[in-house]
Amino acid sequence: MDNREEELIRRLERKHHLTEAEYAALIRGRDAEAAAILAELACAARKTVFGDTVYTRGLIEISSICRNNCLYCGIRRDNGNAQRYRLTREEILACADEGYGLGFRTFVLQGGEDPYFTDDILCGIVSAIKETHPDCAVTLSMGERSRDSYRALYEAGADRYLLRHETADAAHYTRLHPAEMSFENRMRCLEELREIGYQVGCGFMVGSPFQTEETLAKDLAFIESFRPEMCGIGPFIPHHDTPFAGEEAGSVELTLFLLSVIRLILPEVLLPATTALGTLDPAGREKGILAGANVVMPNLSPVAVRKKYELYDNKICTGEESAQCLGCLQARVQRTGYRLVSDRGDAPGFSGRRSGG
Ligand code: SAM
Ligand code: FES
């Protein structure tokens, strides 16, 4: 690590800000020593805000049916080999009930953009979960919808929304998505979610095809200005039935580096150690926590469908029962010296209309 690299790291820690050119230089100049210092500072920043706690969210993958055709994604519309399923309302509510019994107080409903989940149907499911479990937060990750739809879901009780921006570089976005999808619409969705009052999560894949230090620098500058309450980043992993089948996977090392950078940009952000990270490295999620992540998302989906929600090859946690998944993550978190807690874990500085409610 040279003096310039160290100066950038120290300034990032103090000011929570670098220019785009500086972010690119920080990434390009990184080495093991820089990563170690960043991780140490990131853990210190997290400790000030969150102590030694790591939050847990129960993930329910409600549908593998998708009208979109993202080039990287295993459940894209054109993948004729994908196994499609859709959970019924009763199955989703049963997953939430089981999760509640296991101690979960946040449920994340994620799925492809399945036209079956109209506002009426999804609002009914959200309000049923909130009625049965009023002490829980409901997070949605159901892709791009209209402002009216986001509003209706919020009024039905949804608290948070995860919608990765995927890349903050418009030209890069067009290379990862079909022509019918647009960067402008993705950004429109994020802005509207924020305006409505959601705790909002953005994020991106590390090592997606055509990604460069410059596009990553734009991602970091975007995160700095958008100030999401949550930020999901994980390595890109190719899926054999997609146009990106032959591309290289992203790197664990760069993902960990960027987790630390993001923690220093936004000390209060909720930052998951993702399943994709655990897929590329058996100790990936533990390493993620030690780099500054503070959320894990055990899978609560019925075991019978888990393998069908195949976004990328070799996805882990597809054979376990929910309780096993939780137990495994509990043990992993404990090994890092942190403590898995089950409270709602709202974003600490959040001042939206329904913060903590
Ligand atoms: N349909 C919703 C959406 O588009 O936001 C949620 C589901 S989508 C599958 C969730 C995330 O999975 C995407 O935002 C993307 O970043 C990630 N993902 C998709 N394919 C991936 C791959 N091959 N490797 C790693 N992550 C992937
Ligand atoms: Fe729709 Fe991936 S293309 S969830």
Side-chain angles (χ1 to χ4, degrees), residues 114-315:
D114 179 349
Y116 169 83
F117 286 105
T118 58
D119 294 344
D120 275 358
I121 290 177
L122 203 49
C123 284
I125 294 169
V126 170
S127 55
I129 297 177
K130 295 291 282 198
E131 257 165 48
T132 322
H133 305 296
D135 52 338
C136 290
V138 171
T139 304
L140 295 175
S141 176
M142 297 296 295
E144 299 176 16
R145 301 174 77 98
S146 68
R147 179 196 286 264
D148 286 348
S149 172
Y150 288 147
R151 186 178 297 284
L153 291 163
Y154 184 79
E155 301 302 340
D159 303 276
R160 310 179 187 142
Y161 206 103
L162 303 175
L163 185 78
R164 290 185 174 183
H165 63 284
E166 311 295 2
T167 169
D169 180 285
H172 185 209
Y173 190 92
T174 61
R175 301 184 81 177
L176 298 178
H177 299 93
E180 76 229 27
M181 291 180 73
S182 81
F183 177 69
E184 288 68 32
N185 197 48
R186 200 83 179 168
M187 290 294 165
R188 189 259 318 153
C189 290
L190 283 168
E191 292 297 342
E192 289 180 357
L193 289 163
R194 163 67 52 81
E195 280 165 26
I196 289 167
Y198 283 96
Q199 297 175 49
V200 183
C202 65
F204 58 91
M205 292 176 290
V206 178
S208 62
F210 318 113
Q211 188 175 70
T212 62
E213 283 88 0
E214 282 68 33
T215 64
L216 281 173
K218 282 192 184 168
D219 289 319
L220 297 174
F222 171 68
I223 287 164
E224 204 189 289
S225 65
F226 186 67
R227 304 187 63 75
E229 280 73 34
M230 302 157 295
C231 185
I233 72 163
F236 160 74
I237 304 174
H239 183 288
H240 60 279
D241 278 323
T242 62
F244 291 157
E247 300 288 335
E248 238 180 82
S251 102
V252 170
E253 172 272 322
L254 181 53
T255 306
L256 298 173
F257 188 84
L258 292 169
L259 282 170
S260 300
V261 171
I262 293 169
R263 171 62 61 206
L264 290 184
I265 297 174
L266 297 174
E268 299 193 342
V269 78
L270 293 158
L271 196 59
T274 58
T275 307
L277 193 53
T279 296
L280 282 193
D281 180 338
R285 287 166 297 175
E286 293 90 315
K287 290 179 184 172
I289 290 168
L290 294 172
N294 67 332
V295 173
V296 290
M297 296 170 72
N299 199 325
L300 290 182
S301 310
V303 177
V305 303
R306 284 193 193 187
K307 279 199 171 53
K308 301 181 187 168
Y309 197 78
E310 191 186 51
L311 310 180
Y312 46 81
D313 290 342
N314 305 316
K315 187 172 164 228

Side-chain angles (χ1 to χ4, degrees), residues 34-47:
I37 293 187
L38 260 180
E40 193 184 316
L41 296 174
C43 285
R46 179 193 41 202
K47 200 154 212 133

